[in-house]
Amino acid sequence: MADLPVAVVCVGMAGSGKTTFMQRINAHLHSKKQPPYVLNLDPAVLSVPFEANIDIRDSINYKEVMKQYHLGPNGGILTSLNLFATKVDQILALMEKRSRIPPDSKTRPPHHFLIDTPGQIEVFVWSASGSIILESLASSFPTVIAYIIDTPRTSSTSTFMSNMLYACSILYKTKLPMILVFNKTDVQDADFAKDWMTDFEKFQDALREEEAKGVFGGEGAGGGSGYMSSLLNSMSLVLEEFYSHLSMVAVSSTTGDGIDTFFEAVEEKRKEFNRDYKPELDKRKKQREEEKVATREQELTKVMHDLNVSAARRKPAANHEPDVDEDDEDLNDADQYPDEMDDEKSDDDLSSRYKAALRDAEGKGSTGKESFANYLASSQAIR
């Protein structure tokens, strides 16, 4: 995967400046003569400040989904993503085709796929459709999560810790490399966040200072129950190991500061993906394939057992065997019981035809049992 484009999936809380950040990194790559391939997965957005190569709004009408399924805004977004996820194979085919442009072509293949997601972060990260899209991307391209954080809103220890916990949950849910992007540094510098992530004592000092100001309830030193400060103190100790697996960059989507640093972090995470994450993904993929093969074998065994039972029921009873003259002792069994011999001879043939039917089913999107049942019915194998 070293030469493949890297997929950068931008996620973040509503209002964190995610779409503006997408516009900035898109413009930055265009200025470097490295135009990216852009995907918009937000069905509810009215307009985006960049041109998307693949746009969910081209195939899914968000308002119509809400109307037909009687849904609210969040339910409409979730259902739109679910519908769009059914086309993930077509999306990947387009992306793979775009990444394999011949070197002699006038159009150069992109170095980056940029994916914008809905502002309702939980709708994408925790939904089945979001998991399908992310896993499909990661199975084909190096994939990096860019978690966008609103720096001015994260200046207090409580909101900072809330963002870190959310980032932690996303990291372990997606199992993909992550970059923490502290946005809006033109409004507030993000040095405090870097200090809190790398120096436990500085976070403790900030926590004591806020407690003395009565931020957690009450007035004066020691105000409040002390529960919140105790919780934040414990969480900071727990997340110390989590911080070591993250890259943290400070950017301004308005001025463009820190964008070069962000893409340097993306390249580092690409290497990390190929080194640490891809082997694990390949392992999980192999396990799924083995489970799929085992399921096929179980289905084959069950169907063959059912067919054998049906054949046994058609055999003549033992106490009704026809009389055979001594002169006919060399009579061929096939002449006596043609149906029985045909069933025995056809077992292997049925087995091979069943496996062929399962292979056809994968290409048609149907289940193995349905395909084989239709196959038997059409060939009049079921009598």
Side-chain angles (χ1 to χ4, degrees), residues 293-304:
V293 171
T295 302
R296 285 182 188 170
E297 293 299 327
Q298 290 175 0
E299 291 176 352
L300 174 59
T301 302
K302 182 178 179 181
V303 171
M304 295 308 300

Side-chain angles (χ1 to χ4, degrees), residues 24 41 78 80 87 284 346 375:
R24 172 57 66 179
L41 301 184
L78 179 58
S80 297
K87 304 175 182 290
R284 295 207 306 263
S346 64
Y375 178 77

Side-chain angles (χ1 to χ4, degrees), residues 167-201:
C168 182
S169 66
I170 294 172
L171 177 67
Y172 290 106
K173 173 69 169 61
T174 61
K175 295 181 175 63
L176 293 171
M178 177 181 285
I179 302 172
L180 295 182
V181 182
F182 283 85
N183 195 16
K184 304 183 183 181
T185 55
D186 54 304
V187 178
Q188 180 167 349
D189 197 282
D191 287 343
F192 73 91
K194 184 176 181 180
D195 291 339
W196 290 354
M197 292 177 64
T198 56
D199 191 335
F200 173 76
E201 294 296 333

Side-chain angles (χ1 to χ4, degrees), residues 192-239:
F192 73 91
K194 184 176 181 180
D195 291 339
W196 290 354
M197 292 177 64
T198 56
D199 191 335
F200 173 76
E201 294 296 333
K202 289 187 178 180
F203 182 81
Q204 292 292 308
D205 293 340
L207 187 58
R208 283 191 292 268
E209 183 178 346
E210 289 186 1
E211 188 176 14
K213 292 179 179 178
V215 173
F216 306 123
E219 297 181 359
S225 64
Y227 171 78
M228 180 61 74
S229 59
S230 177
L231 176 63
L232 295 176
N233 182 52
S234 300
M235 289 297 100
S236 64
L237 290 170
V238 171
L239 293 179

